[in-house]
Amino acid sequence: MKLEAVFNVNNNKLFWIKDNSPVAAEAFEKISIKWSQVELDDEVYNEEFLANLRDQLKTLDSANKFAILIPEIDRPYETPVQKEAFSNAMNHTARRVKDCVSVAGFLLPETLLKDGLAAGKTASDFMDTLAVKHAQYVYFASSADIKALNLVEDISKSNVVLL
């Protein structure tokens, strides 16, 4: 089941597609998702945790509210294999909540942003992985992370929403 996009991004700000009015994404519920909670072992996913997450998001659906999923990298994240495992775990998460309209998208953790937002970089690869089946998602970044990492110019050329 593919959901239609609800939001559009312009100049790093969020807008409703239905009428192009601005959206205060800061008011969205923030839901932290630890990598270790999603992936218990290599490619062994915690389906109970993901079912509970889906229930939480379905409650938001019923209330016409939205959430930003905030991945937390709480495992070693240095090698290409580890980076791919993280992206796969979050992609698996997205598959398990694919019918939840309340998911506006994902926050890009600082660790993903460290090498920039250009094509082929970690953050871009993460977004590309999820976009294959979840094109409706919007990606968010903390203004503080963007400033600290000197990515102000990079972010201005992207479709990432600043929080």
Side-chain angles (χ1 to χ4, degrees):
M1 165 189 231
K2 285 193 177 190
L3 295 176
E4 295 294 320
V6 176
F7 305 106
N8 188 26
V9 179
N10 190 5
N11 292 324
N12 307 111
K13 294 183 178 16
L14 195 63
F15 297 87
W16 291 104
I17 286 179
K18 65 183 175 190
D19 62 6
N20 207 34
S21 62
V23 178
E26 296 80 11
F28 290 174
E29 185 163 331
K30 310 315 185 277
I31 301 175
S32 295
I33 302 170
K34 291 183 179 179
W35 179 9
S36 63
Q37 287 179 301
V38 173
E39 187 177 36
L40 301 173
D41 204 356
D42 292 345
E43 296 183 36
V44 176
Y45 300 110
N46 185 343
E47 299 301 339
E48 182 179 348
F49 170 79
L50 295 171
N52 289 334
L53 174 63
R54 184 180 177 281
D55 291 345
Q56 182 180 3
L57 293 167
K58 282 298 191 181
T59 299
L60 290 176
D61 280 359
S62 298
N64 292 317
K65 293 185 178 181
F66 292 91
I68 299 170
L69 302 182
I70 304 175
E72 292 184 31
I73 300 172
D74 62 344
R75 291 185 166 169
Y77 184 84
E78 293 144 14
T79 69
V81 169
Q82 292 166 335
K83 291 175 181 182
E84 182 179 0
F86 170 75
S87 289
N88 289 343
M90 292 305 120
N91 194 38
H92 186 80
T93 300
R95 278 197 303 268
R96 290 296 174 253
V97 300
K98 68 182 177 192
D99 64 334
C100 297
V101 177
S102 60
V103 179
F106 282 76
L107 181 86
L108 299 171
E110 179 186 14
T111 303
L112 264 66
L113 294 168
K114 283 185 179 176
D115 65 348
L117 290 161
K121 299 295 184 179
T122 308
S124 180
D125 289 348
F126 176 79
M127 291 184 284
D128 289 347
T129 296
L130 271 65
V132 170
K133 298 253 180 169
H134 312 285
Q136 79 277 14
Y137 288 154
V138 173
Y139 296 92
F140 301 85
S142 157
S143 294
D145 288 347
I146 295 302
K147 286 178 188 171
L149 296 168
N150 295 318
L151 294 174
V152 174
E153 188 175 326
D154 282 13
I155 199 81
S156 69
K157 299 174 188 171
S158 76
N159 281 329
V160 175
V161 176
L162 283 174
L163 293 178

